[in-house]
Amino acid sequence: MILTVTLNAALDITYRVPRLQPHTTHRVTEVSERPGGKGINVARVLTALGHETVATGFAGGGTGDALRALLAQETEVTDALVPVGGATRRTVAVVDASTGDTTQLNEPGPIVTPAEWDAFTATYRELLSGARAVALCGSLPPGVPVDVYARLTRAAHTAGVPVLLDTSGEPLRRGLAARPDLAKPNADELAALTGSTEPLRAARDARRRGAHTVAASLGAEGMLVVTADGAWQAAPPERIAGNPTGAGDSAVAGLLSGLVEGLPWPARLARAVALSAATVRAPAAGEFDRPTYEGLLGQVTVAEHPAG
């Protein structure tokens, strides 16, 4: 199975309004609630691709109960979330129907106590015994040490499990020092980490900081990967219109599924970029439009970087 870790899971709430305008009252035309957080989204896509997937992390309060209920109703993801006393956060997305733009409001998450962290650590180590790969995803809730992704990476490597790290800021910097097998920042996160806005240079810098491989999401321009053996860049055949929320999570699922299936890097990249683009066409994060994905998969261009 594939294990995904979402320490700061969320109940994703989406409001759709005809037009979003500051300082006014809005009539909401549609409301949806879904289990969310980066690792939860990754797990949903992995199960849709046919992989047995277990999701762990924290869940608590009424929002945590709602998240777990929706996860059970809507997916085949195995729930291994650890209970906490605080309430799971909510993320609120407001979609402007006139433009398609999304405004996101993210709560910080519950405070995690030392005892709750110890309970999670025990669960995580137990789950690693049956995992073929693990994805460490997203932000950290209050009370969790900033170096936890480094600790979880080392624990996975001790168990012989490869690690994909998808986070940002200081947790990313600390996590890279533990030498994850793959780090997947987006271009902005990579620039914030390295100080370079040139993706190839920044990705190489991130590798020097510890990651064995760096895959950088470039938005509508696709993805760049830098490994010890070279660099490749993949791009969709055309810009896909829609909501980009969750596109990076689908790319993670593509990379992770390609890893456990032993696909070569060009095939992994093609899958990741096609899934990412197909998610832009889907109504919510954690989903992808399958006809779009299947149509794009053979059209994604993957080229070895001349400077690789």
Side-chain angles (χ1 to χ4, degrees):
M1 62 88 171
I2 299 175
L3 177 63
T4 72
V5 175
T6 313
L7 297 178
N8 211 8
L11 181 64
D12 289 343
I13 302 169
T14 301
Y15 295 143
R16 297 183 183 274
V17 298
R19 177 182 292 275
L20 181 62
Q21 295 178 294
H23 316 301
T24 63
T25 299
H26 294 80
R27 184 176 297 278
V28 177
T29 58
E30 182 182 341
V31 180
S32 65
E33 291 186 346
R34 299 173 61 82
K38 292 181 73 64
I40 300 291
N41 293 336
V42 172
R44 292 173 68 100
V45 175
L46 284 169
T47 59
L49 292 172
H51 287 275
E52 179 186 357
T53 310
V54 176
T56 190
F58 296 111
T63 48
D65 291 343
L67 183 154
R68 301 184 84 160
L70 289 169
L71 191 65
Q73 292 170 11
E74 299 178 2
T75 76
E76 296 180 2
V77 176
T78 299
D79 177 356
L81 295 166
V82 175
V84 291
T88 294
R89 67 186 178 131
R90 295 164 296 183
T91 66
V92 179
V94 183
V95 179
D96 184 331
S98 67
T99 64
D101 292 339
T102 300
T103 299
Q104 192 84 14
L105 304 173
N106 295 340
E107 296 179 355
I111 295 175
V112 176
T113 68
E116 290 165 346
W117 175 252
D118 289 344
F120 166 78
T121 300
T123 297
Y124 176 71
R125 292 181 183 276
E126 182 178 349
L127 290 169
L128 283 174
S129 64
R132 299 176 64 192
V134 59
L136 307 175
C137 301
S139 63
L140 303 180
V144 172
V146 74
D147 67 342
V148 295
Y149 283 139
R151 300 185 198 180
L152 298 180
T153 297
R154 295 187 188 102
H157 284 165
T158 298
V161 179
V163 176
L164 185 153
L165 177 62
D166 183 16
T167 188
S168 60
E170 189 65 11
L172 174 61
R173 188 181 73 81
R174 299 284 188 97
L176 290 178
R179 300 187 60 77
D181 299 84
L182 174 61
K184 197 222 67 70
N186 62 35
D188 290 340
E189 293 163 348
L190 198 56
L193 173 74
T194 66
S196 174
T197 57
E198 201 289 304
L200 181 61
R201 179 180 300 173
R204 285 175 170 163
D205 187 343
R207 278 201 74 244
R208 286 192 291 270
R209 293 167 187 254
H212 290 281
T213 297
V214 174
S217 293
L218 306 178
E221 297 179 10
M223 178 173 284
L224 167 72
V225 65
V226 178
T227 76
D229 301 318
W232 292 265
Q233 187 160 346
E238 59 185 5
R239 183 178 291 269
I240 305 296
N243 181 2
T245 304
D249 303 333
S250 292
V252 168
L255 294 171
L256 205 56
S257 61
L259 184 155
V260 300
E261 293 172 27
L263 298 181
W265 270 111
R268 294 189 209 181
L269 276 177
R271 177 181 292 180
V273 169
L275 280 170
S276 180
T279 298
V280 174
R281 285 271 177 88
E287 293 184 356
F288 62 94
D289 183 77
R290 190 171 290 275
T292 299
Y293 165 64
E294 293 173 350
L296 288 175
L297 190 57
Q299 300 180 47
V300 174
T301 59
V302 182
E304 189 166 8
H305 204 286

